[in-house]
Amino acid sequence: MAEGEEVKNKQVLFRNYVDGFPKESDMYVSTENTIRLKLPQGSNGVLVKNLVLSCDPFLLILMRKSDHGGLFSCYTPDSPITGYGVAKILDSRNPKFKKGDLVWGITGFEEYSIITDAESLFKIEHTDVPLSYYTGILGMPGITAWAGFYEVSTPKKGETVFVSAASGAVGQLVGQFAKLMGCYVVGSAGSKQKQELKYFPEGIDIYFENVGGKMLEAAILNMRKHGRIALCGQISQYNLAEPEGVKNLMPVIHKGITMKGFMVLDYCTHYSKFLDILLPFIREGKIVYIEDVADGLEKTPAAFVGLFSGHNIGKQVIVVSRE
Amino acid sequence: MAEGEEVKNKQVLFRNYVDGFPKESDMYVSTENTIRLKLPQGSNGVLVKNLVLSCDPFLLILMRKSDHGGLFSCYTPDSPITGYGVAKILDSRNPKFKKGDLVWGITGFEEYSIITDAESLFKIEHTDVPLSYYTGILGMPGITAWAGFYEVSTPKKGETVFVSAASGAVGQLVGQFAKLMGCYVVGSAGSKQKQELKYFPEGIDIYFENVGGKMLEAAILNMRKHGRIALCGQISQYNLAEPEGVKNLMPVIHKGITMKGFMVLDYCTHYSKFLDILLPFIREGKIVYIEDVADGLEKTPAAFVGLFSGHNIGKQVIVVSRE
């Protein structure tokens, strides 16, 4: 296609605000819109071709009608949903990027996107690993796992670590980091997660919390004195109109437990330090990373809804284009 | 009275396990029992005359039938309730203490007690301050406030601090520590506590949490990014058969908030460092400390029950003997 050409732009559009569980019909795929493959006058952003998109549970939060405490904006009906992805720069007015560069960051669930906030994008320098990894192990979930384990949980060799939602994008990495450090690790996944707590007769030093609600309550009861809970996500709660309450905070006091919420965005300044650690792990095969790859934007609604019933095996990604 | 004499021993006895709110009738005062004022053969503890006893909300936890996760034992029906107090040694088989020494620590709500675990007692070296202070500002609540503020909350000059149950034994001290450090402090007390959150248009950096439940939920919503919550107590929850749940843990994640439970026992090794800071504050009048003094063991049931409806103004103590 020629530069500046007007082309069809297949998109995954948001239908309307969601209560409870997401349904496939909360999104719809449209080929109605077109886009000119050149940045419009006055834009200071970048125009990208999206290659891989990331289906993450937190997108559901953006489907809820709420001001989210001013922290982020929810989706607009009939506009494309957004999330993390890998893309190729087609046109740039930002001095950090030039045509042909590969980047990862927040983009649209569509074939082509104009990204206004280009400063939030990360340039991809290492392409000897699969590009999709930059939506996962080398992207937001990777930094999340790294920050939540090494920085938030202050782990020590020999400690006991429990990871919930351990087959997800973040959980599978935390478990491997913990093993590399010499910890005793149990991961749990699916509906019988609480049963895994029986593997900790002496209690849990570190709980990497992805689930929330009853799972968190059960873990608190099994924590050791001075245990640490890294609050990363609460996937069991996102589909509830009102979250379950966590009732047993008294043991948090009695056992001197630290519960620390954290946002990956606070750790992004450490990205190059993170890559220096992670890339060798990947190249040397010390870390195994599993992806569940869906082909084509059309697969987005089913893939996204499947996250909440545990259909995915490994990190759920959508390949938009293999070029 | 002569050494070894058998005397009446007035006691506050526990009647039976408590559900919900405590009632005065959950305890009863008895003068039936006697005690010989000499340690029995084989005891390695101390015999004390109790001078001041401390009415603390946490005693209610010991009135509930529960194994408390093995952390502490609940009261035994028809035995004296126990708690912090100041006492004078009448007889000692522990080399740390001799007859006439003043001590503070866990003792019985009775005129005379035999304390088996004498190692847990602290010797009182400074008597130029009121002895009752060793059940409060210079005792467990004081170390609690000091540890929870300086050690757990990592405060910085200029930060905003919210203290709930601020008229209680711990809360009133935290507020003053925060002011001495140059923080902006709002304390709240009573049933309209949540209204005080309106004094934080820019949010709260440190929440010193004594209340729990809905108060904690409201505070979480008003926390600033990277805020810290020192989980000290949950007085609103102790009288509930089942605690309220804290439902809004998502903002804890999104704002990178740290919630840290702590137990004063973990900080008792710092007691002499704590006294070096606190005694000058008290002697120079930099800290004001308010007590609500009830005279006589008979006042214990009413004073204790009053804690849960906010009857006390300042730290509730019971004077057993002024000698």
Side-chain angles (χ1 to χ4, degrees):
Chain A
M1 73 229 153
E3 198 184 347
E5 188 189 349
E6 183 106 2
V7 297
K8 289 231 177 215
N9 189 16
K10 195 187 292 178
Q11 299 177 304
V12 181
L13 300 170
F14 179 51
R15 184 162 275 129
N16 216 332
Y17 300 106
V18 171
D19 284 326
F21 256 108
K23 304 178 301 296
E24 293 190 30
S25 61
D26 294 325
M27 293 151 270
Y28 62 103
V29 177
S30 162
T31 51
E32 302 264 302
N33 289 324
T34 60
I35 187 168
R36 210 177 137 232
L37 294 184
K38 193 162 174 48
L39 280 169
Q41 282 299 328
S43 167
N44 290 312
V46 293
L47 170 73
V48 301
K49 175 170 188 177
N50 294 307
L51 304 179
V52 186
L53 294 166
S54 175
C55 268
D56 292 303
F58 78 87
L59 303 186
L60 180 56
I61 299 174
L62 309 180
M63 297 184 173
R64 294 261 161 79
K65 191 159 195 161
S66 157
D67 71 347
H68 300 295
L71 287 165
F72 28 68
S73 331
C74 41
Y75 293 142
T76 309
D78 301 313
S79 291
I81 64 169
T82 54
Y84 283 93
V86 170
K88 188 183 198 171
I89 304 274
L90 299 185
D91 190 10
S92 170
R93 299 249 177 75
N94 183 297
K96 271 172 67 183
F97 303 107
K98 61 176 196 305
K99 187 174 168 176
D101 280 350
L102 292 167
V103 294
W104 72 268
I106 295 286
T107 185
F109 275 62
E110 55 192 344
E111 288 176 292
Y112 303 95
S113 299
I114 290 171
I115 300 173
T116 312
D117 180 20
E119 290 297 321
S120 71
L121 297 172
F122 291 80
K123 197 159 165 173
I124 294 175
E125 312 274 7
H126 306 274
T127 54
D128 60 325
V129 292
L131 281 184
S132 56
Y133 279 22
Y134 289 93
T135 70
I137 185 170
L138 295 176
M140 188 273 293
I143 313 174
T144 303
W146 174 79
F149 183 67
Y150 291 107
E151 305 280 315
V152 174
S153 307
T154 57
K156 288 185 285 290
K157 189 179 167 181
E159 287 195 314
T160 59
V161 178
F162 180 58
V163 188
S164 57
S167 64
V170 174
Q172 60 172 299
L173 294 177
V174 173
Q176 293 182 79
F177 291 157
K179 279 204 168 160
L180 284 169
M181 170 157 275
C183 295
Y184 169 85
V185 193
V186 175
S188 71
S191 56
K192 294 186 176 169
Q193 299 209 57
K194 278 189 274 186
Q195 297 182 7
E196 312 293 342
L197 291 169
K198 68 181 178 276
Y199 292 109
F200 294 94
E202 316 249 308
I204 300 165
D205 292 307
I206 294 173
Y207 172 43
F208 197 98
E209 150 72 328
N210 288 307
V211 169
K214 299 267 178 283
M215 184 72 229
L216 177 55
E217 281 195 343
I220 286 173
L221 286 178
N222 286 277
M223 294 301 289
R224 229 179 219 170
K225 227 182 148 192
H226 300 145
R228 288 136 273 151
I229 300 177
L231 296 174
C232 177
Q234 304 209 295
I235 195 169
S236 75
Q237 305 297 293
Y238 302 156
N239 52 20
L240 304 176
E242 185 178 30
E244 295 175 309
V246 172
K247 293 184 179 169
N248 57 350
L249 290 176
M250 280 313 294
V252 175
I253 299 179
H254 297 150
K255 295 194 257 187
I257 292 169
T258 301
M259 294 171 65
K260 194 165 164 52
F262 69 101
M263 277 295 270
V264 63
L265 295 177
D266 289 336
Y267 295 89
C268 285
T269 49
H270 302 300
Y271 187 59
S272 63
K273 177 179 160 193
F274 161 80
L275 279 185
D276 288 346
I277 297 170
L278 263 282
L279 282 169
F281 279 165
I282 294 170
R283 289 173 183 144
E284 295 161 22
K286 286 193 176 157
I287 282 192
V288 176
Y289 180 64
I290 298 169
E291 293 183 317
D292 192 325
V293 180
D295 245 303
L297 274 172
E298 298 80 1
K299 301 278 177 63
T300 304
F304 179 69
V305 170
L307 289 179
F308 295 90
S309 46
H311 279 186
N312 56 310
I313 296 169
K315 173 75 180 83
Q316 181 69 60
V317 295
I318 311 285
V319 171
V320 185
S321 167
R322 292 194 186 271
E323 76 104 61
Chain B
M1 74 227 152
E3 199 185 345
E5 189 190 348
E6 182 107 2
V7 297
K8 288 231 175 216
N9 190 15
K10 196 187 291 179
Q11 298 177 304
V12 181
L13 300 170
F14 179 51
R15 183 162 277 127
N16 217 332
Y17 299 105
V18 172
D19 283 326
F21 257 107
K23 305 177 301 296
E24 294 190 29
S25 60
D26 293 325
M27 293 151 269
Y28 62 102
V29 178
S30 161
T31 51
E32 302 263 303
N33 290 324
T34 59
I35 186 168
R36 209 177 138 232
L37 295 184
K38 194 163 175 46
L39 280 170
Q41 282 299 329
S43 167
N44 292 312
V46 293
L47 169 73
V48 301
K49 174 170 189 176
N50 293 307
L51 304 178
V52 186
L53 295 166
S54 175
C55 268
D56 292 302
F58 79 86
L59 303 187
L60 180 55
I61 300 174
L62 309 182
M63 296 183 174
R64 294 262 160 77
K65 190 158 195 162
S66 158
D67 71 346
H68 301 293
L71 287 164
F72 27 69
S73 333
C74 42
Y75 294 142
T76 309
D78 300 314
S79 290
I81 64 169
T82 54
Y84 284 92
V86 170
K88 189 182 197 171
I89 305 274
L90 300 184
D91 190 10
S92 170
R93 297 247 179 77
N94 184 297
K96 269 173 69 183
F97 304 107
K98 63 177 195 305
K99 186 172 169 177
D101 280 350
L102 292 168
V103 294
W104 72 267
I106 295 285
T107 185
F109 275 61
E110 54 192 345
E111 289 176 289
Y112 304 95
S113 300
I114 290 171
I115 301 174
T116 311
D117 181 20
E119 288 298 318
S120 72
L121 296 173
F122 290 82
K123 196 157 165 175
I124 294 175
E125 311 275 6
H126 306 273
T127 54
D128 60 326
V129 291
L131 281 184
S132 57
Y133 279 21
Y134 289 94
T135 71
I137 184 168
L138 294 176
M140 187 273 291
I143 312 174
T144 303
W146 174 79
F149 184 66
Y150 291 107
E151 305 280 317
V152 174
S153 307
T154 57
K156 288 185 284 292
K157 189 179 170 181
E159 287 195 315
T160 58
V161 177
F162 181 57
V163 187
S164 57
S167 64
V170 174
Q172 60 172 300
L173 294 176
V174 173
Q176 294 183 76
F177 291 157
K179 279 204 167 160
L180 285 169
M181 170 156 276
C183 294
Y184 170 85
V185 193
V186 175
S188 71
S191 56
K192 293 185 176 171
Q193 299 207 57
K194 278 189 273 187
Q195 296 182 8
E196 313 292 343
L197 291 169
K198 68 181 179 275
Y199 292 108
F200 293 93
E202 317 249 308
I204 300 165
D205 292 307
I206 294 171
Y207 172 43
F208 197 99
E209 150 74 328
N210 287 308
V211 169
K214 299 265 178 287
M215 184 72 229
L216 176 55
E217 282 195 343
I220 287 173
L221 286 178
N222 286 277
M223 293 302 288
R224 230 180 218 169
K225 226 182 148 191
H226 301 145
R228 287 136 275 152
I229 300 177
L231 296 175
C232 178
Q234 306 209 293
I235 195 169
S236 75
Q237 306 296 295
Y238 302 155
N239 52 20
L240 305 176
E242 186 178 29
E244 295 174 309
V246 173
K247 293 183 178 170
N248 57 351
L249 290 176
M250 280 313 293
V252 174
I253 299 179
H254 296 151
K255 295 194 258 188
I257 292 169
T258 301
M259 294 171 67
K260 195 165 163 50
F262 67 101
M263 278 295 270
V264 62
L265 295 178
D266 288 335
Y267 295 91
C268 285
T269 49
H270 302 301
Y271 187 60
S272 63
K273 178 180 159 194
F274 160 81
L275 278 186
D276 288 345
I277 296 170
L278 263 283
L279 282 169
F281 279 165
I282 294 170
R283 289 172 183 144
E284 295 162 21
K286 285 192 177 157
I287 282 192
V288 176
Y289 180 64
I290 298 170
E291 293 183 316
D292 193 326
V293 179
D295 245 304
L297 273 172
E298 299 80 2
K299 300 280 177 62
T300 304
F304 180 69
V305 170
L307 288 179
F308 295 89
S309 46
H311 279 187
N312 56 310
I313 296 170
K315 173 76 180 85
Q316 182 69 60
V317 294
I318 310 285
V319 171
V320 185
S321 167
R322 293 195 185 271
E323 77 104 62

